[in-house]
Amino acid sequence: MVRLPALLRVALAWLFMAGTALASPVAPQLRDLAVLEDTEGRETIASVATAGDRFTPLPAGMLAAGYSRSVRWVRFTVVAPAGEWWLDVMPPYLDDIRLYSPAPGRPGQFTQRQAGDRLPFAEREVPYRGFVFRLLQPDEAPVTHYIRLETTSSSILVPRLYSAEGFLGAVASDYGFQVATLGALLVVIVLNAVAWYWLRDTLALWFLAFLGTLSLNVAGNSDIPAQFLFARTPWACDYWTTLASLAAIAAGNAFYKRLFAIDRRRPVLHRVYVAMQVAPLVAMPAAFAGFYPEAMRVLLPAVIAMNVVGFALAVQQWRQQRPGAGLVLLAVAISFGGLAAFVLVLLGAYTSHDVLLYGLQVTSLGSILALHVALGARSRAQRDERLRLDYLAHHDPLTQLPNRTLFFDRVSQSIARSRRRRTSFALLLIDLDRFKPVNDAWGHPVGDLVLKEVARRLQDAVRESDTVGRIGGDEFVALLPDIESAAAAEPVAMKMRLAVAEPIVVAGRTVRIDCSIGIAMYPEHGHDEVSLVNNADRAMYEAKREAAGSVRTFRPSPTPTGAPS
């Protein structure tokens, strides 16, 4: 069972509670919502006001007609006490909205007010991300209004009616939610940018690209560009939302392709993911040419299908117990569920106020937080694996002592340090005596236990700053830095020999072995590791020839009499 980190559990719980709070329905003050489709855009308010049975009821209280070039007329009736009421029309990316209200004192005539993201934000009746109209209710009698909607985005329309005080409260909650969502995404972007800077991981870079484009898409759908960047250039906001949504689809598929390790060894999946990376980029010029609805009608079902594929791949990784796979599965599940619902609303196959207004933000933040934690777990697992492999490459697997590679790397470092500081160090070569009969009599398992005990005793006999390594079957080495003379090194070597000579009890047997030790001093007996090892080896063999269990310091051969000096 996957245990979610506390931060992620709290974040997801907060999102659920925030979404629940924001999803509280407005008091039902809009009645009899209905829609009329104007396929050719020729209807007028006069013809629509007398259309009668041509309208189709909207029992869900919203229009969700998908991507279409048809104009839609939405009829609704306000039933409320006399006074001023605020009509909020969402979502914020609708192109052209025209509200027709009965003209006071002129029966059968209507006043027109216009809104939509083709008009500058600075010219809106109320400066808010939704399109807000003030409605004056003269008395408690029901009043019927009409909205004409023409948009190249999905033909969705959610009208909500508030009192002035209720609208301000809703705006505060809405902006609080938007700021929290975008702030959390920004924090995750910064954290991953720092991680990529230090790790230079390709997957982290693609996740950063996905994060960036998704955040731009969320910002566009929240109307942030119109409010704070392009208040007088609405076309820039339109392009922002279009390009960000397509770029997010492309970057998301590129990221998941690398997350699931889809390459040419899986040719079908590889082609599918490459196609889903390229298709949104190809759709960009089509969107500019006026074919955005047609492009999205093709792309959005493909996005849902890719979420199904991603969910299957995430389940596969989870079954394989990959690092962070449980959180990846959670992220894909959140993305699949939330995005599928959001896309179905965009396509007109499903109606939900909450999914439309907050689904993209909640889904994006929930899946991104899960992916962020999952990639962190994956990165830590990869780091631990690198450390493990590095440790195995530099340590003896039996005794866990430094192996030949690591030991002589430390010898090279000691030579460089001693040369700078003009100090000395000792190199000891240790060869076990009477060890072969142990293997012959009791087998290699017992011999391995003896070697492990010898390694422990050798380490216990030296300082923490000293290094003991194993470079062969029964051959050990020791590096003693800051030892000024052989006279100072020999007591340490004797201590190591006596520790090895103590009886060893393994597998119910008492084993007695000894060791011979050769000592070479830097720089007296060599200026490089090769000469030091060779001279320590000669000293060790001299010790063996003299008597098993001896310690000898290398002594250069005397120069023959009469030889040139």
Side-chain angles (χ1 to χ4, degrees):
M1 180 178 178
V2 177
R3 290 183 60 85
L4 296 181
L7 177 61
L8 182 60
R9 293 202 302 271
V10 170
L12 293 180
W14 178 85
L15 281 176
F16 175 78
M17 290 186 292
T20 302
L22 289 172
S24 300
V26 178
Q29 297 165 318
L30 297 178
R31 307 287 194 207
D32 304 326
L33 269 77
V35 62
L36 183 151
E37 182 177 6
D38 181 6
T39 55
E40 310 221 347
R42 294 180 179 176
E43 299 280 0
T44 64
I45 183 59
S47 63
V48 168
T50 57
D53 294 340
R54 292 167 57 198
F55 276 87
T56 302
L58 295 172
M62 63 175 286
L63 169 69
Y67 287 91
S68 169
R69 294 186 177 276
S70 296
V71 173
R72 259 111 182 155
W73 291 81
V74 175
R75 182 183 66 195
F76 62 93
T77 299
V78 175
V79 180
E84 186 178 70
W85 295 87
W86 295 43
L87 177 69
D88 176 23
V89 179
M90 295 287 276
Y93 43 79
L94 301 174
D95 291 341
D96 185 28
I97 302 169
R98 301 191 185 189
L99 175 67
Y100 293 91
S101 302
R106 291 180 290 166
Q109 297 187 36
F110 295 85
T111 61
Q112 174 188 298
R113 283 180 282 176
Q114 187 173 0
D117 68 2
R118 289 179 179 171
L119 294 178
F121 184 85
E123 297 178 10
R124 292 188 185 182
E125 186 173 329
V126 176
Y128 174 58
R129 72 187 192 100
F131 306 108
V132 182
F133 303 93
R134 293 188 179 95
L135 302 181
L136 185 62
Q137 191 78 351
D139 50 41
E140 294 186 0
V143 178
T144 299
H145 304 259
Y146 297 86
I147 293 178
R148 182 184 186 274
L149 172 64
E150 183 176 5
T151 185
T152 56
S153 61
S154 179
S155 295
I156 300 173
L157 189 141
V158 180
R160 299 181 297 178
L161 196 62
Y162 298 92
S163 65
E165 297 78 8
F167 177 75
L168 293 177
V171 167
S173 297
D174 183 59
Y175 275 122
F177 180 76
Q178 303 300 329
V179 169
T181 302
L182 291 170
L185 288 173
L186 181 60
V187 169
V188 177
I189 287 175
V190 171
L191 291 175
N192 280 273
V194 172
W196 173 80
Y197 178 80
W198 289 109
L199 299 176
R200 301 292 174 169
D201 180 34
T202 303
L203 182 62
L205 182 60
W206 278 108
F207 184 52
L208 196 58
F210 179 38
L211 264 174
T213 54
L214 187 63
S215 299
L216 291 175
N217 189 31
V218 170
N221 279 278
S222 300
D223 213 32
I224 299 298
Q227 297 175 72
F228 303 107
L229 298 175
F230 308 112
R232 297 193 177 277
T233 50
W235 59 267
C237 305
D238 208 19
Y239 286 160
W240 176 301
T241 305
T242 299
L243 294 178
S245 61
L246 294 173
I249 294 173
N253 281 284
F255 164 70
Y256 278 111
K257 175 176 175 288
R258 286 154 182 83
L259 178 65
F260 295 131
I262 304 299
D263 54 26
R264 295 184 186 278
R265 290 172 295 182
R266 307 164 84 175
V268 175
L269 282 175
H270 182 263
R271 291 192 191 99
V272 169
Y273 270 97
V274 169
M276 284 303 296
Q277 288 175 234
V278 174
L281 303 180
V282 173
M284 286 182 181
F288 286 120
F291 295 100
Y292 185 69
E294 289 77 9
M296 295 306 288
R297 276 202 298 267
V298 174
L299 276 176
L300 290 182
V303 168
I304 295 179
M306 292 307 297
N307 270 265
V308 175
V309 173
F311 186 79
L313 293 171
V315 169
Q316 184 183 59
Q317 286 197 347
W318 177 67
R319 287 178 174 174
Q320 295 170 350
Q321 297 185 338
R322 302 274 185 89
L327 287 167
V328 171
L329 179 58
L330 173 63
V332 175
I334 293 172
S335 177
F336 173 59
L339 189 61
F342 187 73
V343 169
L344 289 175
V345 170
L346 293 181
L347 292 174
Y350 174 60
T351 55
S352 170
H353 292 198
D354 306 330
V355 169
L356 174 67
L357 299 179
Y358 306 109
L360 181 63
Q361 294 93 325
V362 172
T363 297
S364 300
L365 186 55
S367 60
I368 287 301
L369 284 174
L371 281 173
H372 173 67
V373 178
L375 291 182
R378 175 182 177 273
S379 178
R380 287 190 295 274
Q382 289 179 336
R383 180 200 61 197
D384 293 344
E385 180 64 11
R386 285 194 300 270
L387 292 175
R388 187 184 71 84
L389 293 175
D390 182 73
Y391 184 87
L392 292 176
H394 293 92
H395 289 81
D396 172 51
L398 176 64
T399 64
Q400 306 305 310
L401 293 176
N403 62 12
R404 180 183 294 271
T405 301
L406 179 57
F407 181 82
F408 287 113
D409 179 67
R410 292 185 181 177
V411 171
S412 297
Q413 293 178 26
S414 293
I415 291 173
R417 185 170 55 251
S418 295
R419 184 178 294 125
R420 287 195 310 271
R421 298 178 180 177
R422 298 183 181 181
T423 57
S424 301
F425 66 84
L427 189 146
L428 281 59
L429 198 61
I430 306 158
D431 191 74
L432 301 185
D433 298 321
R434 299 193 302 273
F435 176 73
K436 186 175 182 301
V438 174
N439 274 338
D440 294 341
W442 294 320
H444 288 283
V446 173
D448 288 347
L449 293 175
V450 170
L451 288 173
K452 292 170 72 174
E453 177 61 19
V454 167
R456 186 190 66 79
R457 294 183 179 187
L458 290 175
Q459 283 185 300
D460 289 345
V462 299
R463 303 166 299 179
E464 289 187 6
S465 58
D466 300 332
T467 300
V468 176
R470 181 183 177 217
I471 60 174
D474 60 353
E475 197 169 36
F476 295 82
V477 284
L479 175 65
L480 311 180
D482 300 322
I483 295 289
E484 294 303 323
S485 65
E490 287 174 357
V492 179
M494 185 57 69
K495 182 181 177 181
M496 298 171 77
R497 191 198 73 75
L498 292 175
V500 172
E502 289 289 326
I504 300 174
V505 178
V506 291
R509 300 176 175 86
T510 301
V511 177
R512 296 179 183 277
I513 61 174
D514 211 325
C515 65
S516 300
I517 303 177
I519 303 172
M521 296 295 300
Y522 174 88
E524 183 180 351
H525 301 144
H527 291 83
D528 57 69
E529 60 188 73
V530 174
S531 58
L532 286 170
V533 171
N534 288 339
N535 291 335
D537 189 60
R538 291 192 186 99
M540 183 268 294
Y541 276 106
E542 287 179 9
K544 277 186 175 292
R545 280 196 297 269
E546 183 172 326
S550 298
V551 174
R552 287 292 176 271
T553 298
F554 174 72
R555 293 181 178 81
S557 301
T559 304
T561 305
S565 57

